Amino acid sequence: MRTRGFTLVELLIYLSLFAVIGTAIVYIFLTFVRIDLRQSAASEVASQANFILQRIQNLTSNASFLVVNNTGDDETDGALAQNHSQLVIKTRGEGNAASDAASPVVIYREEGSVKVKQGRGSKQTITVLNSNKVTVTDLRFSKVSNHPGRDVVLIDLGLQYNSGDPQQRVVSNFSFGVG
């Protein structure tokens, strides 16, 4: 006489199938989450790079003179076509009170951030261009003379997404020129 129910063998087969299918579903879900996090990190790095590069381009668009060097001196250019750590921007109309509050502009990397220092003395302000989600790993400037036209400054920017998980760490390098 057969009673209703499962035999031990049938129960073990069903549990094994459930475990295999469940493991596959969890693995697929975790893969999608990992990919989404990596894409979010890459998007954040690209967004920060775009903001930094646009800000530098806006600052240089009003420039009357661009200086690259390692000291922040607004009068002395470093060697042409060599990498330097600071970009100094002198604005048009420097010498009048309104312009002196914002000139010179010095762009440099410090403590993993891109910083913009504007003005001199007590009127000096310092602004950080990147968020704490991204660390600036590289910022170099090199100047190329384009006589009789405007000089061009080549900028190399390296950004890294801050993450404790090495698989989520996104590192990107960008190069562009402004004139």
Side-chain angles (χ1 to χ4, degrees):
M1 165 164 111
R2 181 151 167 106
T3 61
R4 296 191 154 221
F6 297 108
T7 66
L8 184 59
V9 172
E10 289 174 330
L11 189 59
L12 288 174
I13 290 172
Y14 293 136
L15 285 175
S16 298
L17 284 173
F18 179 74
V20 168
I21 292 171
T23 303
I25 289 172
V26 167
Y27 178 76
I28 290 170
F29 175 74
L30 290 176
T31 301
F32 279 125
V33 168
R34 198 174 303 123
I35 289 170
D36 183 56
L37 290 173
R38 184 142 175 95
Q39 286 300 106
S40 295
S43 176
E44 181 67 26
V45 167
S47 175
Q48 290 284 315
N50 188 35
F51 176 76
I52 291 168
L53 300 178
Q54 281 184 345
R55 182 69 195 268
I56 292 173
Q57 190 171 19
N58 288 343
L59 290 168
T60 58
S61 66
N62 294 328
S64 61
F65 189 61
L66 300 173
V67 176
V68 295
N69 57 42
N70 295 321
T71 63
D73 176 26
D74 64 346
E75 298 294 330
T76 308
D77 247 333
L80 291 177
Q82 290 188 4
N83 290 325
H84 300 281
S85 62
Q86 298 187 17
L87 170 62
V88 183
I89 304 166
K90 296 181 82 169
T91 59
R92 294 185 183 112
E94 188 173 302
N96 64 41
S99 178
D100 281 348
S103 186
V105 176
V106 181
I107 302 171
Y108 59 99
R109 178 175 69 100
E110 183 179 79
E111 299 171 357
S113 297
V114 174
K115 295 189 176 183
V116 176
K117 181 171 36 174
Q118 291 184 281
R120 299 177 196 269
S122 64
K123 296 180 182 181
Q124 187 178 72
T125 60
I126 297 177
T127 307
V128 177
L129 295 185
N130 58 298
S131 73
N132 60 356
K133 294 180 181 179
V134 174
T135 299
V136 178
T137 58
D138 186 27
L139 181 63
R140 292 175 283 139
F141 306 97
S142 60
K143 186 173 179 180
V144 179
S145 185
N146 193 17
H147 189 72
R150 293 186 70 168
D151 293 340
V152 175
V153 175
L154 304 174
I155 302 171
D156 293 319
L157 175 66
L159 298 177
Q160 175 180 316
Y161 187 76
N162 290 332
S163 175
D165 182 4
Q167 292 181 340
Q168 304 304 323
R169 199 164 286 149
V170 175
V171 178
S172 295
N173 294 307
F174 304 89
S175 295
F176 72 104
V178 294

